[in-house]
C-alpha cells in the first residue's frame, strides 16, 4: 500500500498523497450504510488498512507540506484525515488506538521542522474523533502527554520545534474538545499547566 515511503523525492511523495486520499475515501464509503460500496472491504481488509495508516504515520520522514513544484503534498495531514475517519469505525479497536498513540509519539519525536501548514490541526481531529467514539479516554491521553520529555528551553532548535508542534497539537485538541463539551478536567489541567501557562 505504501511501497514508496522510502523513496525520498517529491514525485513519489505526491503519488503517496493521492494514495492517502483514495484510502480515506474507501474507509468513509466502506462504513457509510447509504453508500453502494458499504462494506466493500471485509473486516480483515479494513483492519489492514488501519494498520497500514498507523505504520505510515510512524515511519514517514518527509514532512513536506507544500512543494513549489508539486503543490500540496501534505502527507501527514492526509494520513491524519484518513485516520480521523478510521478511528470512528467499529473495528478500529483499542489495540489500534494504542498503536496510533505510539505512532504519533514516534512521528513527533523525529519531525525535522515546525509544522506550518496545519498538520497538527488535522492530526488533532483523530484525537477528537477518538474521544467522541469513546476510543480515547482522559487517563490514557494524559499518560500519553506525560510520556513526552521535550525541553522547551533547549538550545537545540529541533527540540524547540518539536515541543511547539506538540503544544499546538494539544491546544487544538483542547479547544475542539471544549467546544463539544468533552474536555475532561484532567486534560484541561495538564494542557493549561504544562503548555499554556509555563511557556
Amino acid at each position: 500500500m505504501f511501497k514508496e515511503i522510502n523513496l525520498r523525492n517529491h514525485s513519489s511523495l505526491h503519488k503517496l498523497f493521492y494514495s492517502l486520499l483514495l484510502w480515506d475515501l474507501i474507509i468513509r464509503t466502506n462504513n457509510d450504510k447509504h453508500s453502494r460500496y458499504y462494506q466493500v472491504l471485509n473486516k480483515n481488509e479494513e483492519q489492514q488498512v488501519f494498520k497500514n495508516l498507523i505504520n505510515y504515520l510512524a515511519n514517514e520522514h518527509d514532512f513536506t507540506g507544500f512543494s513549489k513544484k508539486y503543490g500540496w503534498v501534505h502527507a501527514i495531514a492526509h494520513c491524519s484525515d484518513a485516520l480521523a475517519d478510521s478511528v470512528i469505525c467499529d473495528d478500529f479497536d483499542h489495540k489500534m488506538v494504542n498503536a496510533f498513540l505510539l505512532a504519533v509519539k514516534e512521528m513527533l519525536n523525529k519531525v525535522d521542522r515546525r509544522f506550518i501548514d496545519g498538520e497538527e490541526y488535522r492530526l488533532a481531529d483523530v484525537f477528537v474523533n477518538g474521544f467522541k467514539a469513546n476510543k480515547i479516554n482522559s487517563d490514557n491521553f494524559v499518560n500519553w502527554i506525560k510520556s513526552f520529555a521535550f525541553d522547551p528551553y533547549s538550545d537545540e532548535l529541533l527540540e524547540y520545534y518539536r515541543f511547539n508542534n506538540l503544544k499546538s497539537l494539544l491546544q487544538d485538541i483542547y479547544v475542539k474538545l471544549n467546544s463539544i463539551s468533552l474536555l475532561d478536567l484532567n486534560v484541561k489541567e495538564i494542557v493549561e499547566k504544562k503548555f499554556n501557562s509555563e511557556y
Side-chain angles (χ1 to χ4, degrees), residues 25-80:
L25 177 62
I26 291 171
I27 290 163
R28 278 188 280 121
T29 55
N30 186 65
N31 288 279
D32 181 358
K33 293 181 180 179
H34 303 291
S35 170
R36 62 184 291 188
Y37 300 108
Y38 176 60
Q39 294 187 334
V40 67
L41 302 176
N42 65 39
K43 180 176 178 177
N44 290 336
E45 290 170 335
E46 184 184 48
Q47 288 197 330
Q48 188 58 56
V49 173
F50 298 157
K51 290 174 184 176
N52 287 344
L53 288 167
I54 292 168
N55 184 60
Y56 169 76
L57 188 65
N59 289 287
E60 179 54 77
H61 51 273
D62 188 323
F63 301 99
T64 304
F66 183 82
S67 162
K68 290 182 178 179
K69 183 174 182 180
Y70 295 103
W72 286 106
V73 179
H74 232 191
I76 294 296
H78 288 286
C79 183
S80 298

